[in-house]
Amino acid sequence: MTADPESTNRTTPEDATATHVATYGELAAVGPYGVRPGHALITMVEPHPGHEYAYNRWYEDDHYIAGAMAMPWMFAGRRWVATRDLQLLRYPAESAVARPVTAGCYLSTYWLTEGRYDEHMRWTVAINRRLNRDGRVHQHRTHVFTAFQDHLATVYRDGAAGPRDFHALDHPYAGLVLEVVDAAGPEERAGLLEWLRDRQLPRRLAGSPAAMVTVFRPTPLPGDRMSYVRQVEGVDTRLTLLWFLERDPRDDWAAHFAGLGEEVADTGLGRVELVAPFVPTVPGTDRYVAELR
């Protein structure tokens, strides 16, 4: 017998009352609903040895959806992976972000609608409590670098041509470089951002495999966050850069990415704490898992 599509998953009056369905119609009518990525969740995680396959399947088959994309105002997401050869390209060796610098072989990036951070955070704290209570949280992993972030700037290689930053997590980019920079102090961060946005990034992007760089600053995690996620460091001094690449990062590493730390240090404005290349995962597969160690 074939199910009637008109009746499948239809909400009954009793269900509507229990799940506050009417509230969704009210919420949709208020507040900003633009397409700009005003905020991001950037999370770099290390599965514990021996749990790599289980972690990958849990994240892709459940958590990427139920713990992220199904949430309000999170409108785009993409996962990235660093195989062992990519991990060995990272620098500096003494990193304030990753200890050791090779830690954190999976990176997930998500865009949140501008102006909807508070609403999203209320939901994400609640849903993660529910997932944890229901046994749907994979415990054999370490959060190396996890932070919600506010968007500060996007610098494009080709001006108005090509995808915009709100397309970045849907466009089939071949690689990504995560760069984390700490300003010398809170007062220096504005100057560091200005130098990056107006001088270094336009020069570095010209003729490079990177189509754009997005720049964010981290925000504190709420006090009622899950206990396995540590509080964000460097809220007053840190900048997070995502370089979106049209080629595999291994193809151009020495020419385009190996010297970022020296350039920042020479300004006296700050220090590069992590430069880490990734390639996109292939959803629904365990590709690259065997190459993590």
Side-chain angles (χ1 to χ4, degrees):
M1 181 177 179
T2 303
D4 178 4
E6 293 297 319
S7 63
T8 302
N9 295 327
R10 180 179 293 164
T11 302
T12 67
E14 293 79 9
D15 293 336
T17 300
T19 59
H20 304 279
V21 167
T23 307
Y24 289 85
E26 298 171 11
L27 293 174
V30 297
Y33 63 113
V35 300
R36 291 191 68 248
H39 321 276
L41 170 59
I42 301 171
T43 174
M44 188 168 68
V45 172
E46 179 73 10
H48 296 170
H51 296 272
E52 295 86 352
Y53 283 93
Y55 169 80
N56 189 54
R57 291 272 46 86
W58 164 76
Y59 202 100
E60 287 204 340
D61 297 346
D62 190 5
H63 200 63
Y64 178 82
I65 300 167
M69 295 304 300
M71 296 192 197
W73 306 112
M74 184 169 271
F75 68 87
R78 197 166 193 189
R79 293 186 73 216
W80 313 83
V81 60
T83 53
R84 187 61 180 172
D85 59 335
L86 288 168
Q87 295 167 33
L88 294 175
L89 294 175
R90 296 180 181 182
Y91 65 88
E94 297 297 323
S95 168
V97 175
R99 306 180 184 93
V101 72
T102 53
C105 54
Y106 281 104
L107 179 73
S108 296
T109 52
Y110 303 96
W111 289 169
L112 278 68
T113 301
E114 184 176 33
R116 291 294 191 170
Y117 177 82
D118 291 340
E119 292 93 329
H120 178 81
M121 288 305 298
R122 291 289 296 272
W123 187 284
T124 192
V125 169
I127 199 65
N128 277 286
R129 284 179 176 170
R130 181 180 182 184
L131 291 169
N132 192 57
R133 182 193 68 209
D134 294 346
R136 289 173 61 182
V137 173
H138 187 90
Q139 302 293 343
H140 301 289
R141 76 199 198 279
T142 298
H143 281 263
V144 176
F145 177 71
T146 293
F148 283 87
Q149 315 240 357
D150 289 337
H151 178 257
L152 296 178
T154 301
V155 182
Y156 296 100
R157 182 191 61 200
D158 303 321
R164 303 291 87 190
D165 51 15
F166 48 84
H167 301 125
L169 301 184
D170 297 312
H171 188 79
Y173 285 114
L176 178 140
V177 173
L178 168 69
E179 179 183 3
V180 180
V181 187
D182 279 341
E187 296 78 14
E188 284 78 17
R189 184 164 67 177
L192 176 61
L193 172 63
E194 181 180 5
W195 177 80
L196 288 167
R197 182 191 61 216
D198 299 339
R199 299 180 62 184
Q200 191 206 37
L201 295 181
R203 177 173 51 80
R204 280 276 182 171
L205 283 169
S208 83
M212 73 177 82
V213 181
T214 56
V215 186
F216 297 88
R217 66 181 176 199
T219 61
L221 289 170
D224 53 356
R225 69 191 184 280
M226 299 307 294
S227 60
Y228 51 78
V229 181
R230 67 185 184 187
Q231 187 54 269
V232 178
E233 299 175 350
V235 169
D236 296 325
T237 58
R238 185 160 287 176
L239 295 172
T240 305
L241 288 72
L242 300 177
W243 299 68
F244 290 91
L245 313 184
E246 296 175 326
R247 298 194 296 270
D248 188 303
R250 286 165 284 214
D251 296 343
D252 306 276
W253 190 253
H256 293 287
F257 300 105
L260 296 175
E262 289 82 352
E263 288 189 4
V264 172
D266 288 345
T267 68
L269 294 170
R271 166 183 161 87
V272 168
E273 292 291 358
L274 182 66
V275 179
F278 295 84
V279 294
T281 62
V282 180
T285 77
D286 289 321
R287 187 172 177 183
Y288 302 119
V289 176
E291 302 174 48
L292 299 179
R293 309 301 182 195

